[in-house]
Amino acid sequence: MAQRISLTRYLVEQQRVDGLIPSQLRLLLEVVARACKGISQAVNKGALGGVLGTAGSENVQGEVQKKLDIIANEVLIEANEWGGHLAAMASEEMDGIYLVPNRYPQGEYLLLFDPLDGSSNIDVNVSIGTIFSVLKKPEGHPGVTEDDFLQPGSKQVAAGYCVYGPQTTLVLTVGDGVAMFTLDREQGSFVLIEENVRIPEDTKEFAINMSNMRHWDAPVKRYIDECLAGTEGPRGKDFNMRWIASMVADVHRIMTRGGIFMYPWDKREPNKPGKLRLMYEANPMGWLVEQAGGAATNGRQRILDIQPTQLHERVSVILGSKNEVERVTGYHSGI
Ligand code: AHM
Ligand code: MG
């Protein structure tokens, strides 16, 4: 049997051999992975662990919180606050930033996460996940403010997600391609299953919530209409559709076999740029997809170039196989 490479060993090699990551970042990523293991255990227990259902509260965006949203958020905070790698955290489930208490050593990184993405799938036993993004705390002033988090996605130093599906798989980039690790439950460790993940540049599979079709903008409607026209249409080929309603699971499929994922702006709430969050979802996923050879835009601009103005900012998202993303983006500028 081929030698098994654990996440720990992979990260040590990234640090020691390739000099790609400082030790503080390596240790931080180990802690995030450990927290994902804890969340995976809670997800696996489901009703037996009393973790299903709503918590009876709302998050800052007015969305009803599930018990697992709150549990996952707490697991990530508790695992990360005392390690000395972080200065502060921000989460989709918290109103403001969380400063590492001053009884613990302070680190130089900022961690952002969507603790449990795809919440509507929790109670129906469909894949869900955790998404995370790491930024460097800007230098030159003591303490941390919300403004310190408002950095474009191109400044990320690490990003990843952990999908809780039939397998628990952690997918990571530190800017040197994308690696995947599956949790070996008996050993309790993440084991490398693929390095240099590549997304095919072309695809015949799209992911979009079709029930919103009547609200879409013309370029998105044009793209999907052309896909639906199949072999007789301008694309000259038949397309397949998938929509899991967990961004993590949809992106994981694209990482595995290609495809395009879209959650575009639509006319339901014209003043809202999109449903998904820039800092917790679009930036980390956008970077992972780019690192695997794909592309990510909001229809007009590369996601990673967007200068955020708010922690919980929303954005239109089009990501996946490069040629398809470029096509939809081109339709937005009238090409
Ligand atoms: P969440 O972070 O509250 O779970 O919401 C984000 C999710 C994405 O994972 C998914 O792509 C999308 O919302 C599904 O939305 P819809 O139910 O409108 O299809
Ligand atoms: Mg989410």
Side-chain angles (χ1 to χ4, degrees):
M1 200 179 98
Q3 200 185 17
R4 286 159 58 106
I5 297 175
S6 65
L7 174 68
T8 303
R9 179 171 159 190
Y10 173 87
L11 291 173
V12 167
E13 283 175 6
Q14 294 272 306
Q15 181 196 335
R16 200 184 50 208
V17 184
D18 302 326
L20 275 165
I21 48 171
S23 70
Q24 209 178 94
L25 179 56
R26 170 174 69 82
L27 294 169
L28 163 59
L29 293 172
E30 293 251 31
V31 177
V32 171
R34 203 158 56 234
C36 289
K37 230 189 300 179
I39 297 169
S40 174
Q41 275 161 9
V43 168
N44 281 181
K45 284 196 184 126
L48 303 181
V51 299
L52 302 186
T54 56
S57 52
E58 281 187 356
N59 66 13
V60 62
Q61 311 156 72
E63 298 159 340
V64 174
Q65 289 180 304
K66 301 281 172 116
K67 284 186 197 161
L68 263 175
D69 286 324
I70 294 174
I71 293 167
N73 196 62
E74 279 167 7
V75 169
L76 278 155
I77 299 271
E78 278 164 23
N80 281 288
E81 66 180 353
W82 49 270
H85 323 304
L86 283 179
M89 293 177 246
S91 160
E92 191 178 302
E93 299 301 333
M94 297 189 297
D95 297 11
I97 62 172
Y98 180 93
L99 299 174
V100 169
N102 53 20
R103 63 181 178 277
Y104 299 124
Q106 306 290 304
E108 57 191 70
Y109 292 100
L110 306 173
L111 177 66
L112 301 96
F113 47 83
D114 178 356
L116 210 82
D117 176 65
S119 307
S120 71
N121 281 323
I122 294 172
D123 294 347
V124 291
N125 202 357
V126 171
S127 296
I128 47 184
T130 298
I131 312 173
F132 61 91
S133 161
V134 185
L135 295 166
K136 199 90 192 280
K137 175 180 127 47
E139 285 167 7
H141 60 274
V144 188
T145 65
E146 211 164 287
D147 283 352
D148 292 331
F149 282 83
L150 303 183
Q151 304 180 39
S154 56
K155 298 271 193 204
Q156 292 172 104
V157 293
Y161 63 81
C162 188
V163 55
Y164 312 114
Q167 302 109 44
T168 288
T169 298
L170 185 92
V171 179
L172 178 71
T173 187
V174 291
D176 180 38
V178 176
M180 288 186 184
F181 305 84
T182 290
L183 180 62
D184 180 329
R185 289 187 197 284
E186 279 80 49
Q187 301 290 328
S189 61
F190 282 100
V191 178
L192 182 69
I193 55 160
E194 199 178 336
E195 246 181 312
N196 299 320
V197 174
R198 300 306 290 170
I199 298 173
E201 291 189 354
D202 294 296
T203 183
K204 290 168 35 169
E205 199 160 63
F206 65 83
I208 191 165
N209 185 336
M210 293 287 286
S211 69
N212 298 327
M213 188 178 230
R214 68 190 184 287
H215 307 295
W216 293 340
D217 207 3
V220 174
K221 175 104 173 45
R222 172 182 169 193
Y223 175 77
I224 296 297
D225 281 348
E226 290 179 359
C227 293
L228 294 177
T231 45
E232 285 101 60
R235 303 301 308 276
K237 57 183 183 181
D238 289 332
F239 278 76
N240 185 27
M241 193 203 89
R242 286 285 184 275
W243 184 250
I244 303 174
S246 288
M247 186 192 200
V248 170
D250 278 313
V251 169
H252 193 61
R253 183 187 60 257
I254 290 170
M255 285 286 179
T256 310
R257 68 179 188 209
I260 180 168
F261 169 95
M262 291 188 271
Y263 211 119
W265 171 91
D266 69 44
K267 293 174 197 143
R268 283 174 297 175
E269 290 179 80
N271 297 326
K272 205 160 109 179
K275 174 179 182 182
L276 300 177
R277 267 74 29 150
L278 176 61
M279 310 291 289
Y280 316 110
E281 291 159 331
N283 274 343
M285 291 310 205
W287 196 32
L288 283 160
V289 164
E290 281 195 6
Q291 283 288 312
T297 76
N298 65 357
R300 303 182 188 275
Q301 190 185 4
R302 181 182 175 226
I303 295 271
L304 300 190
D305 287 339
I306 297 173
Q307 173 60 52
T309 56
Q310 295 171 46
L311 204 51
H312 296 290
E313 184 165 331
R314 307 221 185 208
V315 67
S316 179
V317 176
I318 299 166
L319 59 75
S321 290
K322 201 170 183 203
N323 291 339
E324 296 299 309
V325 173
E326 284 175 359
R327 177 180 283 270
V328 191
T329 307
Y331 287 180
H332 281 80
S333 49
I335 296 168

